[in-house]
Amino acid sequence: MNTTLKHWKEAATLILAAGRGRGFTPRAPSLFDYDVLLLKRSGKSGFMPNAYVFPGGVVDASDFSSEWLDIFRSFTNSPTFGLRSVKQHLETRPPIFATDRLKLGSPIPGEVALRICALRETFEESGVLLVAPKIEEKKMLKNIKDFGYIEHYGVNDLCSSELTKWRALVNQNPSNFIRMCRELQVLPNIWALHEWGNWLTPASRYGTTRFDTAFFICCLQEIPCPCILCQALGYRWSTPSEILQSYQAQELWIAPPQFYELSRLCRFPLLNDLHNFASQRATAGCEQWMPVVVSNDEHHISLLPGDKLYPVDSPRDSEAAKNTVPPSKDHQDASPLHRIVISDRYTLRVQITITPKYNHVLPVAHSAVSHDSKSQF
């Protein structure tokens, strides 16, 4: 982990999509054949209390522990333990991915450790454990040799009591995740997680704690057995459109990054299409996004990279971006726009005219959330 950061805590989050099955209660007909997992934060949390978020959390020192070299022993001949190489030039990579972790004292590549963090936090928070059995190592190594990467592996098949025991231990001490993998002879399924994005907390929006968060996405064929999640309070599996509609109806609250990413997922009603896109796109890399929040008389406006008013010099290492000019109300010109307009806590709209970088997709307009179609999304 990077202890040299002044204003940030490194974190990782997982957008977990899964096909429906295993006896879940049927719902109204939907264009989507999959659901996304959201978890409700505690009302006592100092960061976005009561918000519904994707599972994830802060990087722990154990995620970068050299003990992982023994767990992944068969894969250490590959620079990133069998993960596919990202084509993005190093100088344009977000620092959370580009930082040389060896210089910080860890032999574990950042792209590996961040995935371990996302998997560990997902297990801690939801009980969903994504692992690959070590008995499959030979097959996995053959895939690296033949194809250059490892196939996707599914969710665990451990019994509920075993999951409950280990989940409690990992919550007590994150280093028990290493112990669990060693004793159960499993590997954290880093290969099922595809790089999706990198969001940074804007200044002065959610208290003093700020996070530099790597976003990953994983697609499962079906939702894990409900008993796995029985202890996760405030969890829900819903389609992207259902979540956005519930947000607009003030039934739950999501932060702007979740709003933006769920709107992106609306491009893909079918799980297979989402999985194929995420898998193929991930090798292109991603862009670091730190929203710069400004205000006018009517709205808060969250400026994103590429917007005509986004600071030329990245404000990443400053406490706040204080000199940004409030946006003009005239959006009819051809100037590039990439922003989230926040009218109130439950009313967001995205204005975007730029082309996404790194083969990513634009959010889809959601009629239940925004009715201004001229320059939205």
Side-chain angles (χ1 to χ4, degrees):
M1 58 191 298
N2 193 348
T3 58
T4 66
L5 297 176
K6 295 180 180 179
H7 309 303
W8 307 94
K9 291 184 178 180
E10 291 183 320
T13 195
L14 180 59
I15 302 172
L16 188 59
R20 296 172 180 176
R22 297 213 179 197
F24 272 74
T25 303
R27 302 196 302 272
S30 171
L31 293 175
F32 291 83
D33 68 354
Y34 66 91
D35 290 332
V36 175
L37 176 62
L38 288 184
L39 303 171
K40 187 178 181 180
R41 294 184 62 83
S42 167
K44 299 178 181 179
S45 174
F47 183 76
M48 296 196 301
N50 295 312
Y52 276 82
V53 297
F54 305 123
V58 178
V59 169
D60 186 78
S62 65
D63 300 325
F64 281 94
S65 172
S66 59
E67 291 186 60
W68 287 114
L69 292 177
D70 182 56
I71 303 293
F72 287 99
R73 186 187 307 115
S74 298
F75 302 89
T76 53
N77 288 332
S78 172
T80 51
F81 297 15
L83 295 172
R84 292 175 298 165
S85 298
V86 175
K87 301 172 185 176
Q88 184 179 6
H89 294 299
L90 185 63
E91 60 270 19
T92 64
R93 290 284 279 156
I96 195 170
F97 293 115
T99 298
D100 187 341
R101 304 293 170 163
L102 271 176
K103 293 182 178 179
L104 298 177
S106 173
I108 308 301
E111 292 180 348
V112 173
L114 290 167
R115 284 171 167 83
I116 291 173
C117 173
L119 293 166
R120 174 183 56 76
E121 286 285 342
T122 297
F123 180 50
E124 287 182 23
E125 295 179 343
S126 72
V128 176
L129 178 62
L130 300 174
V131 291
K134 286 183 73 70
I135 59 174
E136 297 285 347
E137 277 187 348
K138 288 185 178 180
K139 178 181 178 181
M140 296 159 72
L141 290 167
K142 187 176 187 301
N143 284 336
I144 294 177
K145 181 179 179 180
D146 294 345
F147 307 111
Y149 63 93
I150 293 174
E151 290 180 344
H152 171 81
Y153 283 79
V155 72
N156 71 84
D157 57 0
L158 297 175
C159 68
S160 179
S161 60
E162 191 80 359
L163 285 173
T164 300
K165 180 189 81 170
W166 281 111
R167 185 181 173 205
L169 289 170
V170 176
N171 268 294
Q172 290 173 11
N173 188 337
S175 66
N176 282 328
F177 196 54
I178 302 172
R179 176 186 160 198
M180 182 198 73
C181 290
R182 184 179 288 116
E183 292 192 16
L184 297 181
Q185 290 292 294
V186 295
L187 301 163
N189 196 349
I190 60 174
W191 309 280
L193 273 58
H194 305 297
E195 184 178 313
W196 186 261
N198 176 211
W199 286 83
L200 279 71
T201 311
S204 305
R205 289 296 293 168
Y206 304 105
T208 58
T209 303
R210 301 176 70 186
F211 298 96
D212 182 352
T213 306
F215 275 61
F216 299 98
I217 189 168
C218 173
C219 297
L220 301 175
Q221 287 300 314
E222 58 182 19
I223 293 173
C225 179
C227 65
I228 294 175
L229 288 158
C230 62
Q231 294 184 0
L233 299 177
Y235 79 91
R236 63 181 288 166
W237 289 96
S238 301
T239 70
S241 62
E242 286 173 342
I243 297 168
L244 292 172
Q245 289 166 6
S246 294
Y247 167 68
Q248 190 271 341
Q250 303 187 20
E251 297 170 357
L252 57 80
W253 186 77
I254 54 176
Q258 277 74 21
F259 176 87
Y260 193 105
E261 298 301 356
L262 288 164
S263 298
R264 266 179 168 169
L265 296 187
C266 288
R267 289 276 177 193
F268 305 99
L270 301 181
L271 181 67
N272 191 56
D273 291 344
L274 175 61
H275 172 69
N276 289 337
F277 170 80
S279 176
Q280 295 166 14
R281 193 222 63 81
T283 58
C286 71
E287 188 176 18
Q288 181 190 78
W289 287 359
M290 193 193 85
V292 174
V293 181
V294 297
S295 300
N296 60 21
D297 293 337
E298 299 176 355
H299 312 290
H300 293 296
I301 296 132
S302 184
L303 302 173
L304 296 171
D307 191 278
K308 63 182 180 181
L309 292 179
Y310 195 82
V312 176
D313 296 322
S314 171
R316 181 184 190 277
D317 294 320
S318 64
E319 288 291 345
K322 299 178 180 178
N323 300 317
T324 306
V325 179
S328 166
K329 295 182 181 179
D330 181 11
H331 301 316
Q332 302 306 312
D333 58 34
S335 298
L337 300 177
H338 191 199
R339 58 184 64 174
I340 303 173
V341 179
I342 307 169
S343 300
D344 59 50
R345 184 174 171 83
Y346 292 95
T347 307
L348 304 184
R349 66 184 188 274
V350 176
Q351 295 175 334
I352 182 166
T353 61
I354 66 169
T355 299
K357 292 184 178 181
Y358 306 111
N359 300 332
H360 233 311
V361 291
L362 298 173
V364 167
H366 198 275
S367 59
V369 176
S370 173
H371 300 283
D372 178 3
S373 60
K374 179 65 177 178
S375 59
Q376 309 304 319
F377 302 97

